[in-house]
Amino acid sequence: MTTETAPDTRPESAKPISAFDRFFQITERGSTIGTEVRGGLVTFITMAYIVVLNPIILSAGVDVDGNQLAFPAVAAVTALTAGVMTILFGLVARLPFAFAAGLGINSFLAFSVVGQVTWPEAMGLVVINGLIIVLLAATGLRRLIFDAVPYELKIAITVGIGLFIAFIGFVDAGLVTATGQNSPPVGLGIGGSIATVPTLVFVVTLLLTGVLVARKVKGALLIGLVTGTVLAVVIEAIWHLGSSVDNEGGWGLSVPALNGSLFAVPDLSLVGDVSFDFGKVGILTVVMLVFTLVFTNFFDAMGTLTGLSKEAGLADEKGNFPRLKSALVVEGVGAVAGGLTSGSSNTVFIESGSGIGEGARTGFANIITGVLFLLAMFLTPLAQIVPSEVAAAALVIVGAMMMAQIRDLDLSNFSVLLPVFLTVIVMPLTYSIANGIGAGFIAWVVVRSLSGKAKTISPLLWVVAAGFVLYFARGPIEALFGA
């Protein structure tokens, strides 16, 4: 006689939760394993372009000795560091915020720093920058600065990042282009028209994804990304548009076509190629370069962490989120790791918002994203299939989602409105999260204090605002002291 086990009809809340679920707090945060997997996949697809873009930027930089970094090697360490740091952050902070090489810092390294030092020395500066950030986080000073930021500015940072990533999406898609004129400096497409097929693919993907999100379809972002990529692959197979480098109407960062083998053995020769011998430059130059790296890294990350935690619904009324100190320490480790692998400082990526928009709420989504980045070391050709025009559509959708946070602010007081406005508008217009934060902090301190509200401003915010004044004036300061 056999005895059949009755099905478990208890409600989900009454069923035992596995140690795995408890560790990542999947059920506690209202998520599921399937949702986390889907969110991690969407984040990777949205971020995969960095495996192509970071090498493009870094390999373009010629150092003081005339040396350049090899594209394949940079691509390999970009994927390696992103994978390791994303997994580490998921396990330690248990938040769905993926890591990769920061676009602001890699551009600063390629086009400013290596004009004065060698590439190994530049990466040594990145390591020093990361160690300083780890020290600030470990001692609690970074948390104190984080807590000193007013709630209104934290919301403004979230909204500003939303506009920033939407603007990145518009530019990557070719919808917004530089005119080469003083007025207007930017325009629509080519000659004021949507004149290329890749930009049209962006528009189609954007509208399709928007409809799916509006109808609350599960997996809307992923469906949009996959559909857009398939459409792009079909179009490329028929019309052979190629790259925009060779054809004005071609694809941006990557052509959606498979050429040759899907497999490539990663070149990790750049790992450990770091130098701390700065004898060729003055100490003031080293100090100013490190100062710039720290400020950019520190506040870019703070802004991104604030925006993503708010978007994920994990932030409290003050903008703080779970395991904040651990998150800040690991973020600093990302800078150290990026320097040691010569892939540039790694930091939390705002594109993680795409996975959050898909429902990711825990660090398990990071494990999925990180593993895919590690696989991307070997499958670089496959990671390059998703054209930037398709990924850009997801960025615009997420930007719109983050823009909605403005509803939580009371902007009737102009001493609040102006700093919030400057924070939001400076980010996309200067292509820098740190610049927007700096403008907002300085405006908050000046306008609020001279409006009779000086006692409400944290002393730390005064110090940070003063630091941003030096940050914005670093060029004249270097020139004054002959750095």
Side-chain angles (χ1 to χ4, degrees), residues 157-238:
I157 289 168
T158 301
V159 176
I161 291 175
L163 292 184
F164 178 43
I165 64 175
F167 189 50
I168 290 174
F170 288 137
V171 172
D172 286 351
L175 189 74
V176 174
T177 56
T179 62
Q181 303 172 2
N182 291 329
S183 181
V186 294
L188 174 68
I190 299 175
S193 302
I194 298 176
T196 70
V197 173
T199 302
L200 180 60
V201 170
F202 158 77
V203 173
V204 171
T205 305
L206 174 63
L207 294 177
L208 171 64
T209 308
V211 169
L212 294 174
V213 172
R215 295 180 65 88
K216 295 181 171 53
V217 175
K218 287 187 177 181
L221 284 169
L222 179 58
I223 293 172
L225 287 168
V226 172
T227 303
T229 300
V230 171
L231 176 62
V233 169
V234 171
I235 289 173
E236 177 60 24
I238 296 173

Side-chain angles (χ1 to χ4, degrees), residues 44-333:
F44 171 74
I45 291 175
T46 309
M47 289 177 60
Y49 74 89
I50 196 63
V51 179
V52 180
L53 182 57
N54 194 46
I56 289 175
I57 294 173
L58 292 184
S59 63
V62 181
D63 71 13
V64 70
D65 288 343
N67 297 318
Q68 292 176 278
L69 299 180
F71 189 102
V74 177
V77 296
T78 297
L80 170 65
T81 314
V84 171
M85 287 308 308
T86 296
I87 292 173
L88 179 63
F89 191 83
L91 292 173
V92 176
R94 302 176 201 173
L95 297 166
F97 307 161
F99 274 61
L103 291 178
I105 288 184
N106 61 7
S107 299
F108 179 60
L109 290 174
F111 304 118
S112 296
V113 176
V114 295
Q116 306 172 69
V117 298
T118 65
W119 270 114
E121 291 164 358
M123 293 304 168
L125 292 172
V126 173
V127 172
I128 294 173
N129 147 69
L131 292 174
I132 292 174
I133 291 176
V134 170
L135 180 63
L136 291 174
T139 57
L141 182 57
R142 194 175 186 186
R143 171 67 183 269
L144 289 175
I145 296 174
F146 189 91
D147 290 342
V149 178
Y151 174 73
E152 293 86 350
L153 287 184
K154 287 180 179 177
I155 293 294
I157 289 168
T158 301
V159 176
I161 291 175
L163 292 184
F164 178 43
I165 64 175
F167 189 50
I168 290 174
F170 288 137
V171 172
D172 286 351
L175 189 74
V176 174
T177 56
T179 62
Q181 303 172 2
N182 291 329
S183 181
V186 294
L188 174 68
I190 299 175
S193 302
I194 298 176
T196 70
V197 173
T199 302
L200 180 60
V201 170
F202 158 77
V203 173
V204 171
T205 305
L206 174 63
L207 294 177
L208 171 64
T209 308
V211 169
L212 294 174
V213 172
R215 295 180 65 88
K216 295 181 171 53
V217 175
K218 287 187 177 181
L221 284 169
L222 179 58
I223 293 172
L225 287 168
V226 172
T227 303
T229 300
V230 171
L231 176 62
V233 169
V234 171
I235 289 173
E236 177 60 24
I238 296 173
W239 283 298
H240 305 290
L241 300 177
S243 170
S244 59
V245 175
D246 305 313
N247 171 23
E248 186 180 31
W251 304 94
L253 297 176
S254 57
V255 178
L258 282 176
N259 298 311
S261 174
L262 292 177
F263 179 82
V265 178
D267 178 359
L268 301 179
S269 59
L270 289 176
V271 176
D273 189 14
V274 180
S275 172
F276 298 96
D277 180 8
F278 308 113
K280 296 180 182 178
V281 295
I283 185 63
L284 182 59
T285 297
V286 173
V287 170
M288 290 306 297
L289 289 174
V290 171
F291 177 82
T292 303
L293 287 169
V294 169
F295 251 70
T296 302
N297 216 146
F298 187 109
F299 287 102
D300 267 11
M302 192 193 79
T304 304
L305 287 168
T306 299
L308 292 177
S309 61
K310 183 70 177 177
E311 180 65 20
L314 299 174
D316 60 20
E317 65 279 359
K318 295 182 180 180
N320 297 318
F321 53 87
R323 297 185 180 84
L324 175 57
K325 184 174 181 179
S326 297
L328 295 177
V329 170
V330 176
E331 197 282 326
V333 172

Side-chain angles (χ1 to χ4, degrees), residues 7 11 24 64 89 100 103 134 154 222 230 244 353 371 382 384 391 403 413 425 428 443 456 462 467 479:
F24 286 110
V64 70
F89 191 83
L103 291 178
V134 170
K154 287 180 179 177
L222 179 58
V230 171
S244 59
V371 168
L382 186 60
Q384 296 176 13
M403 177 70 185
N413 187 328
I425 200 67
T456 65
W462 284 88

